[in-house]
Amino acid sequence: SIPLRRIAILLHAWSALILIASIIVHVYAAIWVKGTIRAMTEGVVTDTWAKKNHPKWYEEIMEARAKKESKQQAFDLGSNDFK
């Protein structure tokens, strides 16, 4: 029926406008926040970026890094006995 088609066209148009606006906002935000483009294209962020934008994740990474380094140091110290 014609009224149903009009409603469908209206919903479709509004959905398209919301989608286009969302894309524009995301592109703007990616350009505005320094380091975001590199993070998306290379999969790497600096320590400073991680600490500023995701502090909880940064702390988890730092704790894991410290544990790994302490294990490596313990291994290096223990391996001196065999030289």
Side-chain angles (χ1 to χ4, degrees):
S1 72
I2 292 175
L4 184 60
R5 287 184 186 196
R6 286 182 179 163
I7 292 171
I9 290 169
L10 184 63
L11 286 174
H12 185 267
W14 276 106
S15 298
L17 286 173
I18 291 169
L19 178 63
I20 291 167
S22 297
I23 291 170
I24 290 169
V25 167
H26 276 89
V27 169
Y28 175 75
I31 293 169
W32 184 52
V33 177
K34 185 178 178 183
T36 304
I37 298 293
R38 179 176 176 232
M40 289 189 289
T41 57
E42 297 178 16
V44 176
V45 297
T46 63
D47 288 347
T48 306
W49 188 95
K51 188 175 184 179
K52 180 180 177 185
N53 293 290
H54 298 283
K56 186 176 177 182
W57 175 62
Y58 173 78
E59 291 300 323
E60 291 172 4
I61 296 298
M62 290 297 105
E63 288 173 9
R65 186 182 289 175
K67 285 180 185 178
K68 183 178 178 183
E69 288 175 357
S70 67
K71 285 182 182 179
Q72 184 62 42
Q73 287 175 352
F75 177 77
D76 290 345
L77 290 174
S79 64
N80 288 337
D81 296 337
F82 299 105
K83 290 185 179 178

